[in-house]
Amino acid sequence: MQNYLLIESRDPFTAQAAPGHVELAVGLRRAGNAVTLYLVQNGVLPARAGADGGALHEAMTAGVEVLADDFSLRERGIGGRDVARGVKPAVIGLVVDRLADAWKVILL
Amino acid sequence: MTTALTFALMDAPFENSRTVTMFRIIGAALEAGHDVNVFAYEGAVALSFAKQAPHANAVHGRDAAAENHPLPRVWIESLITLAAARGRKLDWVNCGLCVDERGVAEAIAGVRRGTPADFWKMSMESGNTLTAGTR
Amino acid sequence: MKTLQVLETAYRATVEEQDDTIVWLTHAMKGAGGEFGLLLTGNAVCYAVHGQRAPALALGAWTQSHAADLGADVAALAAGGVPVHAVEEDLEERGLLDARLLEALTVVPRAGLPQLFDEYPRIWKW
């Protein structure tokens, strides 16, 4: 088993590649790896409750941990109560911790 | 025990939010006590250009001093100071060919010119590497 | 340590740099002793098309001397022992599955990416 932290800075509403990234996260998880998807910048937009976040929900159902950068959430006016269920706000230091723990960290 | 971490940046200043994200990660790495290597490639070599200058903001009625416009070279200087205060190393390397073609050789103190071989060496000698490509 | 270079952005600054800057970087680091694989995704799958050659840019009296030869540059990596892969669905979307592509190219379906990623200790996305 390997550990993957995938950092998604783009949103699925404007970036065609973004849905494929969630697909990759799910594929890595189903292959038996630990996978975290860290949403940052506009990547947090589908994490707003009520947004079209079906892909994120699918990822979480598959066992992918989905985190949203707290700075990016605040920048976009997404408060704690506005975050979709299952998505956890996180601090950027988590990326550093995972790098230091030798996770494969990829900025998509 | 902390480990050295290496980062590669590509975007020119003021062009992409990824630059801020990477600076936040680099800052967090230094705060956590890691040594940090940065390879600035392509447009990112302008991040340390010494001639970046602040300006006023007439729309908001602020003069240059009041506006205190963010400048990436000031961020790098601040991170160099942070690293020194923590007894850690920040090795900021600008790709020399990229510097030459952009005419940004006049860089702030504390950064150096290098090559892809430096990036390779830094990455091999550190615990992990994160690259931020450009779009 | 083997590193997978994942390339997505294509034809960015390739006219004025006369290279793809990541293909070039890979060549340079390989020369410094690095061991790499190259995964072409998104529009970068177009780099696998055989025979593409950028035209020389001309502006006023100035004419470019060495326009980019991206297909040759990727082929040179392959010839130098760098495995070159491309995502099948990205090729298909761009009408390239039946095109003449780099002979050494390995086409990987998206579903096969987890296995490919697991083969490399390091993955660098550009």
Side-chain angles (χ1 to χ4, degrees), chain C:
Chain C
M1 192 185 293
K2 267 198 327 178
T3 303
L4 182 66
Q5 298 275 66
V6 181
L7 184 52
E8 179 189 333
T9 301
Y11 305 106
R12 180 205 70 84
T14 49
V15 172
E16 61 267 53
E17 292 284 13
Q18 304 187 141
D19 282 288
D20 176 279
T21 55
I22 300 306
V23 173
W24 184 90
L25 183 68
T26 306
H27 270 286
M29 290 192 292
K30 186 171 182 300
E35 190 185 350
F36 294 96
L38 177 65
L39 172 64
L40 304 173
T41 73
N43 284 339
V45 299
C46 297
Y47 287 175
V49 172
H50 180 83
Q52 64 182 294
R53 185 70 204 263
L57 179 66
L59 293 168
W62 181 86
T63 303
Q64 188 166 27
S65 300
H66 301 287
D69 193 349
L70 303 175
D73 293 340
V74 172
L77 280 177
V82 173
V84 179
H85 315 273
V87 175
E88 182 176 11
E89 288 85 344
D90 294 340
L91 286 166
E92 185 178 16
E93 281 170 8
R94 290 157 182 80
L96 292 175
L97 278 183
D98 294 329
R100 188 167 168 214
L101 302 174
L102 174 70
E103 276 186 39
L105 185 73
T106 304
V107 177
V108 182
R110 276 205 193 111
L113 291 181
Q115 182 179 348
L116 180 64
F117 277 29
D118 277 354
E119 290 171 15
Y120 285 83
R122 303 194 308 184
I123 300 166
W124 294 353
K125 177 99 193 297
W126 299 96

Side-chain angles (χ1 to χ4, degrees), chain A residues 2 4 8-9 16 23 38 49 59 67-68 70 75 87 94 108:
Chain A
Q2 301 188 43
Y4 288 89
E8 176 61 89
S9 67
Q16 197 217 9
E23 197 182 311
Y38 188 94
L67 306 176
D70 63 348
E75 190 183 5
V87 178
L94 177 136
L108 297 170

Side-chain angles (χ1 to χ4, degrees), chain A residues 7 14 19 21 40 46-47 57 59 66-67 82 86 93 100-101 105 108:
Chain A
I7 304 173
T14 58
H21 298 158
V40 72
H57 182 73
V66 179
L67 306 176
D82 303 318
D101 286 342
V105 181
L108 297 170

Side-chain angles (χ1 to χ4, degrees), chain A:
Chain A
M1 185 187 86
Q2 301 188 43
N3 300 313
Y4 288 89
L5 173 65
L6 308 182
I7 304 173
E8 176 61 89
S9 67
R10 291 179 279 177
D11 64 274
F13 313 120
T14 58
Q16 197 217 9
H21 298 158
V22 179
E23 197 182 311
L24 173 64
V26 171
L28 286 166
R29 178 72 189 117
R30 287 185 178 147
N33 302 295
V35 181
T36 297
L37 187 60
Y38 188 94
L39 308 174
V40 72
Q41 297 162 218
N42 284 339
V44 303
L45 291 178
R48 184 192 296 269
D52 185 2
L56 291 185
H57 182 73
E58 183 194 328
M60 288 187 281
T61 302
V64 173
E65 178 186 34
V66 179
L67 306 176
D69 177 63
D70 63 348
F71 184 98
S72 304
L73 289 169
R74 276 184 283 133
E75 190 183 5
R76 288 155 184 77
I78 303 174
R81 290 187 198 173
D82 303 318
V83 179
R85 194 157 50 119
V87 178
K88 293 175 237 168
V91 297
I92 202 76
L94 177 136
V95 175
V96 174
D97 293 341
R98 298 288 171 96
L99 282 164
D101 286 342
W103 282 52
K104 287 183 184 178
V105 181
I106 308 167
L107 175 51
L108 297 170

Side-chain angles (χ1 to χ4, degrees), chain B residues 17-82:
Chain B
S17 299
R18 292 181 147 216
T19 300
V20 169
T21 295
M22 290 301 283
F23 267 95
R24 290 176 59 219
I25 295 171
I26 290 164
L30 289 169
E31 296 273 8
H34 298 282
D35 287 339
V36 168
N37 305 306
V38 175
F39 182 67
Y41 189 50
E42 287 284 278
V45 299
L47 293 168
S48 60
F49 186 44
K51 292 196 166 174
Q52 294 170 19
H55 54 74
N57 188 330
V59 170
H60 292 290
R62 295 192 286 257
D63 63 17
E67 177 70 2
N68 191 23
H69 198 283
L71 297 174
R73 66 162 176 84
V74 174
W75 295 349
I76 299 170
E77 288 165 340
S78 180
L79 292 177
I80 290 172
T81 302
L82 170 63

